[in-house]
Amino acid sequence: MNLKLNIFLRQGAFVLDAELRIQDQVVGFFGPSGAGKSTMLHLLSGLKRPQKGHIVLGGKTLCDIENRIYVPPEKRDIGVVFQEARLFPHLNVEENILFGVRNRMEGSFLEAVIDTLEIGHLLKRVICHLSGGEKQRVALARALIRKPRLLLLDEPFSAIDVNLRAMLLPFISRVRQEFKCPMIIISHDLPDLLCLTNALVIFNEGKILGYGNCSDLVFDPQCSRLIKHAGIYATFDAKVTSVDPQSGSVAFCPEDNGQAIRAPYKEGVRPGMNVKARLRPEDVVLASEQADFITSQNQLKATIVRVRYFEDEVLLELDAGFKILSGITHKAAKQFEVAAGKVIWIMFKSLAVEYYIP
């Protein structure tokens, strides 16, 4: 994605004043309610017009107020999936997906979209008989079928419960892998964003506080407070190396790292599968050496990369062949003499490892 913008919009007492250049393929917009995330989506899609500034996507100017350029929404080649799905209740699933498609498309592409989102069995079903997660997948298919240059997802998890959210995450990840479509995902749920995106843009009170990966932003004084209190995770990609249903465990190795991690078994997991895993900082314990006769099945050697002191805790970035975070008390940090470059051991229970198959 190559997105450049410098825009100003005043709506009553709210002001959005933002300058940004995005080059990552998949980006999350994060911030509290009213921070300006959805307003930015409306500006990018053309549903709102700024009072000043410009928006350029992939070298094409979508908006330039000074030069009186304004491309209407239907000509921007941008797909939008709203949190309510916004499907037509009088049409079935297939009719919703193909609604407004004027040009004939390759049947193979339509089949690829349907197969990726696993909605083939829903095509003749009416909208009122779909679950919240199914509606979101249909809305996603409708946006994808037009082969957009950019896909915008506005709070895709807010209208569904926790169980359906866990089921929807892999589908969005599959879309990312299969169609290579640039995506901006807007959410106030940070853990879900961290599973899906390469980088974050942090919004607050109509301003952009920072842009980058979470492990950097959490150490940024402007962004750290918003991020830390939203429930941060360290996320990493790994490949399953062994499966033991009888003991209820699986093992996988992060990319370029030979240290195996154990996690709870899930039905359908097989050796060779890729997984997306995450860990909370509070679940990672530090030790000066390996320990015997403890319940934590994961013990890895790591190096302290960065240390940040907050009022209520000390946050450490660690390198164990993959990046991981650990949160400890000030007393523990002093006793352990934490410092960048120090080699230690980290420990965490297998039950602390959350993962899904993308």
Side-chain angles (χ1 to χ4, degrees):
M1 181 193 322
N2 187 0
L3 174 65
K4 295 185 292 183
L5 60 88
N6 188 345
I7 50 178
F8 177 90
L9 174 68
R10 182 185 296 277
Q11 296 181 133
F14 176 77
V15 174
L16 178 66
D17 189 358
E19 182 176 359
L20 181 64
R21 180 168 185 173
I22 293 176
Q23 294 183 302
D24 290 274
Q25 186 76 353
V26 182
V27 176
F29 282 4
F30 173 76
S33 297
K37 307 183 300 296
S38 292
T39 300
M40 180 65 79
L41 176 141
H42 292 152
L43 290 165
L44 291 172
S45 63
L47 297 176
K48 287 184 179 178
R49 186 188 300 240
Q51 279 110 27
K52 299 178 185 177
H54 61 269
I55 302 172
V56 181
L57 175 62
K60 178 181 178 180
T61 300
L62 304 179
C63 172
D64 188 333
I65 301 302
E66 183 178 345
N67 292 303
R68 298 183 180 181
I69 298 172
Y70 193 77
V71 178
E74 65 274 14
K75 294 184 178 181
R76 293 196 176 194
D77 296 326
I78 293 178
V80 184
V81 179
F82 295 98
Q83 53 185 301
E84 308 91 355
R86 300 191 183 185
L87 301 173
F88 298 109
H90 63 289
L91 303 178
N92 65 25
V93 167
E94 185 176 20
E95 291 166 340
N96 264 280
I97 293 172
L98 297 176
F99 184 84
V101 177
R102 296 182 178 89
N103 301 322
R104 284 185 62 86
M105 68 184 70
E106 296 178 9
S108 58
F109 181 74
L110 175 60
E111 290 177 8
V113 171
I114 291 171
D115 290 346
T116 299
L117 295 170
E118 295 183 10
I119 54 175
H121 64 293
L122 303 175
L123 293 178
K124 302 304 178 183
R125 194 175 296 184
V126 294
I127 299 305
C128 63
H129 291 162
L130 301 181
S131 69
E134 289 170 341
K135 289 178 182 177
Q136 285 296 80
R137 281 151 59 193
V138 173
L140 190 52
R142 185 174 63 181
L144 276 172
I145 214 68
R146 291 159 178 78
K147 299 182 180 179
R149 294 194 302 147
L150 174 63
L151 185 61
L152 305 175
L153 306 182
D154 187 13
E155 299 283 1
F157 310 109
S158 64
I160 56 179
D161 62 30
V162 174
N163 292 328
L164 289 175
R165 177 183 303 179
M167 294 173 61
L168 186 59
L169 272 170
F171 286 107
I172 296 177
S173 185
R174 286 181 207 170
V175 167
R176 168 184 173 177
Q177 292 179 4
E178 292 294 326
F179 302 105
K180 312 299 181 186
C181 180
M183 298 168 62
I184 292 176
I185 305 173
I186 297 172
S187 180
H188 61 271
D189 192 305
L190 185 58
D192 288 337
L193 276 183
L194 294 178
C195 283
L196 294 169
T197 61
N198 301 326
L200 297 175
V201 178
I202 309 299
F203 287 79
N204 194 35
E205 297 180 346
K207 301 285 187 182
I208 293 175
L209 300 186
Y211 165 48
N213 63 63
C214 184
S215 60
D216 288 331
L217 294 174
V218 77
F219 287 88
D220 184 316
Q222 288 195 85
C223 304
S224 59
R225 187 168 298 278
L226 275 177
I227 295 175
K228 196 172 81 69
H229 292 293
I232 58 174
Y233 284 77
T235 61
F236 54 92
D237 297 312
K239 180 169 289 188
V240 178
T241 56
S242 65
V243 177
D244 187 356
Q246 290 186 337
S247 68
S249 70
V250 301
F252 43 73
C253 287
E255 294 180 353
D256 303 321
N257 177 32
Q259 300 189 85
I261 294 174
R262 296 200 172 274
Y265 170 76
K266 290 183 181 180
E267 189 174 351
V269 177
R270 298 185 303 275
M273 279 185 165
N274 294 317
V275 298
K276 189 83 172 182
R278 66 186 188 184
L279 268 169
R280 299 185 305 170
E282 54 265 39
D283 290 327
V284 179
V285 177
L286 275 58
S288 57
E289 57 186 21
Q290 279 185 293
D292 296 325
F293 309 111
I294 62 172
T295 58
S296 295
Q297 294 188 44
N298 293 295
Q299 299 187 46
L300 308 177
K301 185 175 283 189
T303 302
I304 299 175
V305 179
R306 280 187 287 189
V307 182
R308 174 76 196 278
Y309 289 83
F310 293 91
E311 291 182 5
D312 55 342
E313 72 169 333
V314 179
L315 188 68
L316 292 83
E317 182 184 24
L318 307 157
D319 186 349
F322 64 102
K323 293 296 177 66
I324 193 169
L325 300 172
S326 177
I328 60 177
T329 65
H330 284 262
K331 181 179 179 181
K334 184 176 181 180
Q335 291 177 338
F336 205 77
E337 298 180 344
V338 298
K342 185 174 183 177
V343 178
I344 59 169
W345 286 86
I346 57 174
M347 304 176 183
F348 49 91
K349 295 180 179 180
S350 61
L351 290 174
V353 183
E354 299 179 26
Y355 70 96
Y356 71 91
I357 302 166

